[in-house]
Amino acid sequence: MPLAGDNLRLSVNAFFVTDGTRSVLIDTGASNAWHDPTMGLIYDALDEAGIDRAHVTDVAITHKHEDHVSGLIAPDGSEAFPKLERVWIGVGDTSVFTGRLEPIRDRVVPVSEKVAINDWITAIPTPGHTPGHTVYDVRSDTGHLLAWGDTVHVPTLQFDQPNVSWELDGNQSQARAARAALLEQLTQPHHFVAGAHLDSPGIARVTRSGDGYALEYLAPPIG
């Protein structure tokens, strides 16, 4: 696996999805929760893309870990998205909304089963990595984009050997089963993956390769 110095390099991605009128932010990064200067850059990225944070009304969280949910609160302690109306998250992970995230609790929408969060995104529970781990299926004329959170952490290893588990998977057998099902689904035509820990740009096609799978990264936009 490629290393940065002696450390595993781990990309941390979030995804802003819009139909031109409505938008959903999937995951929010770590803000300053990890006190790492390479983290918490989502606010700069949104600015660079010309996206006003005040226009974000819906955030879809794949799971409760700090590098996905902490960006709801800016480093200065204020709410990062002042017009936020709903935060979608798996019911098994709602306990994270305490402490610095407590101000958001009243806007949490727990996801306990497959449910449409609007007319083009569906939340699909995929427990394993955490009890509330959730995948978001984004549909358009192009096909399906599965924003799959932490289904894969180390793409240089886990596509070739999908049975390899990550130490931080809370239930490794559940996580392994969810990964197998999603990888197989993604080999279908017109299916794409958006992964929190895939390398830049974080969006790819999945194909079968021997006993495992391979990635073909895409330069956004895909459609």
Side-chain angles (χ1 to χ4, degrees):
M1 292 174 286
L3 300 178
D6 293 328
N7 298 312
L8 175 68
R9 182 187 179 280
L10 192 68
S11 295
V12 178
N13 304 314
F15 300 94
F16 181 82
V17 188
T18 183
D19 67 357
T21 303
R22 300 154 302 167
S23 59
V24 175
L25 180 64
I26 301 176
D27 286 339
T28 64
S31 187
N32 62 335
W34 280 1
H35 304 288
D36 183 325
T38 69
M39 300 291 288
L41 300 179
I42 188 172
Y43 315 120
D44 295 333
L46 290 169
D47 289 343
E48 183 179 347
I51 297 166
D52 186 343
R53 282 191 268 154
H55 292 162
V56 176
T57 59
D58 282 77
V59 173
I61 299 293
T62 59
H63 65 288
K64 65 182 180 180
H65 289 162
E66 286 183 327
D67 54 326
H68 299 261
V69 71
S70 296
L72 287 164
I73 301 296
D76 65 3
S78 65
E79 290 192 21
F81 307 102
K83 301 296 184 180
L84 184 67
E85 297 176 5
R86 291 168 292 272
V87 179
W88 304 83
I89 190 171
V91 67
D93 285 359
T94 57
S95 61
V96 74
F97 289 94
T98 59
R100 66 179 275 159
L101 295 176
E102 178 69 34
I104 310 293
R105 175 177 284 276
D106 63 337
R107 280 154 286 175
V108 169
V109 182
V111 174
S112 59
E113 59 186 0
K114 184 175 180 179
V115 62
I117 69 174
N118 60 31
D119 58 9
W120 43 275
I121 299 183
T122 299
I124 304 171
T126 54
H129 179 59
T130 64
H133 192 272
T134 301
V135 168
Y136 295 93
D137 180 6
V138 183
R139 300 177 306 282
S140 75
D141 291 342
T142 302
H144 294 260
L145 177 70
L146 300 185
W148 72 356
D150 281 15
T151 299
V152 162
H153 285 84
V154 187
T156 53
L157 174 65
Q158 288 181 292
F159 282 90
D160 183 55
Q161 301 180 56
N163 286 331
V164 174
S165 292
W166 181 253
E167 183 180 11
L168 295 178
D169 286 337
N171 184 317
Q172 292 189 0
S173 61
Q174 270 192 327
R176 191 179 295 114
R179 181 164 53 252
L182 287 166
L183 284 168
E184 193 60 26
Q185 181 180 353
L186 283 160
T187 63
Q188 299 178 46
H190 311 298
H191 279 67
F192 308 86
V193 62
H197 299 304
L198 300 186
D199 296 329
S200 180
I203 298 174
R205 291 186 179 91
V206 176
T207 58
R208 293 187 183 88
S209 178
D211 293 332
Y213 299 85
L215 278 182
E216 177 191 349
Y217 284 106
L218 303 179
I222 62 170

